[in-house]
Amino acid sequence: MLKVLGIESSCDDTSASVVVSNREILSNIIVSQHSQHKPYQGVVPEIAARAHLDNMDYCVKRALEESGVTLLDIDAISVTVGPGLIGGLIVGMMYGQGLSHVANKKLIYINHLEGHILTARLVNQDLEYPYLTLLISGGHSEFVYVKGPGDYEVIGRTLDDSVGECIDKVAKMLGLGYPGGPAVEKMALSGDYKKYPLPIPMLKNDNLNLSFSGLKTAARLLIQELSKQMPIEDFVNDVCSSLQYSIVKSLVLKSKKAIQEIALQTNLVLAGGVACNLYIQSELQKAISPIRLITSPKVLCTDNAAMIAWAGIERIQAGLDNHKYSLNAQMSL
Ligand code: KG4
Ligand code: ZN
């Protein structure tokens, strides 16, 4: 059985994990930098890079300790090489390269989005290729037709902001801090989405593309207007509820279209940090039934190294572990 050490440092979580090819996650250490970015209500790249440098050694040591596996027992090291913030990516890549030289282990380069979209197969051993994924994270929002390891077709994507960017920025306007997703989800629970309706993105657009910058602007204008009439506490729940409603309506519309387009009959995989949102999960599942929505535990939706280790395992098993990526922060699938 293969054992791979994964390393992830593309945004604001430093993570290391040991995963076995039988899908056992022996360790998945994640050191979040949220408290360091909170005062700025968003990720500051320079702070992120320095924090990765401070935390990487600890994460890798803990991941090995917790897994009960030594570096000698590891078959390969896989590391995120993009897309993401260049400073953090360099820290992870250099660490992975150093470790692979010292321990004489193969180094596998992994695309961060590949990690997110293959996680469903780490969690579900019955999930066969091909499958359709809706990836919604802080950096990306796209429909990916996953034909096999390394064989991904993006059939629709956001033309501007990702869902996570839209949620995080509206959360910032509402004073909910960073990251905004969990706070918006909580506030929305006691809100009324009908009270202050927001537009539903791409309603009249017939392709598979998404867009969330218009919704972000509409929310900004609404918040500005309401702020003149009452304190934020009086409308924050309703605006969060309305924001989630518009996002879900747009995702449902486009997911149904995507399902039709590729004549999908079985599963739709939901991946990325925004996939943690239980309201989005349940509304999407209701709308696409009888097609099953496949979700993963929250810790595997947001950034983590287990998904990077697993992607390494998939690549080794498919004989695709000799690929070379150049380090490019803009890299996408
Ligand atoms: O996948 P991820 O950890 O990082 C990227 O690759 O971008 O996703 C982070 C995003 C953030 O925008 C965060 O607000 C969002 O995922 N998020 C959520 C929830 N938990 C995290 N969005 C909505 N509801 C949540 N419960
Ligand atoms: Zn991510």
Side-chain angles (χ1 to χ4, degrees), residues 49-310:
R50 284 165 195 269
H52 284 302
L53 204 54
D54 290 342
N55 298 333
M56 186 56 81
D57 211 30
Y58 165 81
C59 278
V60 171
K61 280 185 183 149
R62 282 285 299 134
L64 289 169
E65 268 167 28
E66 203 172 281
S67 68
V69 168
T70 70
L71 205 47
L72 291 176
D73 303 323
I74 295 287
D75 293 285
I77 299 166
S78 58
V79 62
T80 305
V81 294
L85 300 173
I86 192 76
L89 291 169
I90 288 174
V91 172
M93 272 200 83
M94 292 305 126
Y95 197 98
Q97 280 180 0
L99 212 56
S100 91
H101 281 302
V102 170
N104 196 23
K105 302 288 171 184
K106 183 184 266 286
L107 184 66
I108 308 168
Y109 296 145
I110 300 297
N111 179 303
H112 180 79
L113 308 183
E114 175 175 37
H116 275 304
I117 63 180
L118 295 182
T119 300
R121 277 175 49 84
L122 166 60
V123 179
N124 299 273
Q125 62 176 16
D126 302 331
L127 180 64
E128 303 281 352
Y129 293 115
Y131 59 88
L132 178 66
T133 296
L134 170 56
L135 169 65
I136 41 175
S137 69
H140 297 80
S141 291
E142 52 200 44
F143 288 101
V144 187
Y145 190 39
V146 187
K147 298 172 191 169
D151 191 1
Y152 316 116
E153 187 186 349
V154 178
I155 60 171
R157 60 157 51 105
T158 182
L159 301 175
D160 38 61
D161 289 343
S162 66
V163 184
E165 153 72 17
C166 174
I167 292 178
D168 287 345
K169 288 294 159 30
V170 175
K172 185 174 176 178
M173 294 169 208
L174 291 167
L176 295 176
Y178 171 83
V184 166
E185 181 175 15
K186 192 164 159 228
M187 294 294 171
L189 286 175
S190 34
D192 176 3
Y193 72 85
K194 291 191 224 86
K195 199 150 175 193
Y196 306 114
L198 284 165
I200 296 163
M202 304 295 262
L203 197 57
K204 298 195 177 89
N205 180 303
D206 203 36
N207 56 36
L208 293 178
N209 287 331
L210 302 159
S211 166
F212 297 98
S213 71
L215 178 59
K216 186 172 76 176
T217 304
R220 180 171 60 79
L221 295 174
L222 175 66
I223 292 165
Q224 272 172 2
E225 202 44 49
L226 293 174
S227 297
K228 289 180 198 154
Q229 301 161 29
M230 59 189 108
I232 277 190
E233 306 84 78
D234 290 0
F235 61 81
V236 60
N237 294 356
D238 297 324
V239 171
C240 286
S241 178
S242 183
L243 179 74
Q244 280 197 160
Y245 179 82
S246 291
I247 289 170
V248 159
K249 283 282 161 198
S250 186
L251 294 178
V252 161
L253 186 85
K254 296 295 176 150
S255 296
K256 284 180 158 175
K257 233 182 248 295
I259 286 167
Q260 239 176 18
E261 188 128 318
I262 59 169
L264 187 74
Q265 273 156 16
T266 45
N267 304 307
L268 174 67
V269 167
L270 192 62
V274 183
C276 290
N277 189 295
L278 298 179
Y279 171 75
I280 296 179
Q281 284 187 18
S282 72
E283 291 301 306
L284 205 52
Q285 175 59 89
K286 270 189 260 170
I288 63 167
S289 177
I291 285 177
R292 189 165 67 108
L293 187 74
I294 297 199
T295 56
S296 302
K298 284 187 185 189
V299 69
L300 297 177
C301 287
T302 47
D303 290 349
N304 68 90
M307 69 182 191
I308 303 305
W310 175 253

